[in-house]
Amino acid sequence: HCDFTNEYARLFPVRIFMAMVDLPMSDAAMIQHWAECMTRPDRDMTFDEAKQAFFRYVEPILDARRADPGDDLISRMITGDLNGRMPNAQEAIALVTQILIAGVDTVVNFLGFAMLYLATTSEAQKTLAASPDMILRITNELFRRFGLVTIGRTVVRDIEFHGVELKAGEIVATPTMLHGLDDRANVDPMKVDFARKDGKHTTFGTGPHICVGQELARAEVAIT
């Protein structure tokens, strides 16, 4: 037995991610704290304070990787081809900050929901143990049922959208989990059904803004 959240979920995906971006594991707790301050309202730093802390941390790393790029994920991103040019300094900081938040936060939290379900559902344990060839389908079903990301956007101009008037400056919250839990998209959506084929969800977003790290997240959950 173990404290799954603190002894596994908070360590496994973060260690993989820190290795991919070639950052010291000793910085993981600090980066996790900033990520939590940017995604939760009850921490000891405001969103802007945490974002600036990220920027101060990332800037010298970007300068060093730009001058002497390696084979790590950060080097590849900031020296990659962006329609015939490399990302500028502002784009690089924003991009790296985004992947650091995603890499140390979302999979950690999702693993808790998935493991809680498995721990309290003996039939699910039996199905998983008896059908290892279904692991990818099972992983997708867990992502569908326990999606947890809500995206916030600021309305930039007055507009009417599907009969709703939106005013410039207002905030729109988009809970991505609602798609997977919509009975128009999935039959009996609140039920975890490992036999479900092609469960529809938007846990990783959709379109041009789909999560670029989704395959890593799926692999980490399947391996777990």
Side-chain angles (χ1 to χ4, degrees):
H1 72 276
C2 69
D3 177 339
F4 179 78
T5 296
N6 288 316
E7 296 179 42
Y8 184 89
R10 287 179 64 87
L11 301 179
F12 172 59
V14 174
R15 286 180 176 176
I16 292 173
F17 183 78
M18 295 296 278
M20 291 179 65
V21 295
D22 192 21
L23 292 175
M25 198 58 60
S26 57
D27 289 350
M30 177 177 64
I31 293 174
Q32 278 183 302
H33 177 67
W34 292 335
E36 289 180 355
C37 289
M38 292 179 70
T39 54
R40 294 163 179 74
D42 58 348
R43 298 303 190 261
D44 59 356
M45 300 172 73
T46 66
F47 177 90
D48 287 333
E49 288 171 343
K51 183 175 72 172
Q52 290 306 313
F54 257 118
F55 286 1
R56 287 192 297 271
Y57 173 80
V58 165
E59 278 183 307
I61 295 170
L62 296 183
D63 290 341
R65 304 280 171 95
R66 199 176 281 110
D68 184 22
D71 195 37
D72 59 280
L73 181 58
I74 291 177
S75 293
R76 290 185 177 195
M77 287 194 304
I78 66 173
T79 62
D81 178 41
L82 185 64
N83 296 326
R85 65 175 178 85
M86 290 195 303
N88 61 38
Q90 184 177 5
E91 291 166 340
I93 289 178
L95 183 60
V96 172
T97 298
Q98 182 67 35
I99 66 156
L100 286 176
I101 294 173
V104 303
D105 188 65
T106 48
V107 174
V108 172
N109 297 317
F110 171 81
L111 281 172
F113 284 102
M115 193 58 67
L116 178 61
Y117 171 76
L118 291 172
T120 55
T121 314
S122 59
E123 285 304 311
Q125 295 175 34
K126 293 175 184 177
T127 300
L128 189 57
S131 309
D133 57 316
M134 290 176 56
I135 186 64
L136 294 182
R137 181 193 296 180
I138 289 171
T139 298
N140 186 65
E141 175 67 356
L142 292 172
F143 274 122
R144 179 200 67 79
R145 176 61 183 84
F146 300 114
L148 46 75
V149 175
T150 294
I151 300 169
R153 291 291 183 265
T154 302
V155 180
V156 296
R157 65 181 184 277
D158 292 356
I159 188 174
E160 182 176 311
F161 184 73
H162 290 268
V164 179
E165 290 190 1
L166 303 175
K167 301 296 183 182
E170 292 180 338
I171 303 296
V172 175
T174 308
T176 59
M177 68 287 294
L178 294 183
H179 179 202
L181 301 179
D182 189 338
D183 58 13
R184 294 168 296 182
N186 296 292
V187 176
D188 196 7
M190 300 302 288
K191 178 184 178 181
V192 175
D193 182 1
F194 289 164
R196 190 188 304 271
K197 295 182 178 179
D198 192 28
K200 298 178 177 63
H201 63 83
T202 320
T203 297
F204 296 103
T206 188
H209 297 287
I210 197 165
C211 174
V212 295
Q214 67 166 311
E215 296 306 327
L216 174 61
R218 291 178 188 276
E220 289 171 341
V221 173
I223 289 166
T224 297

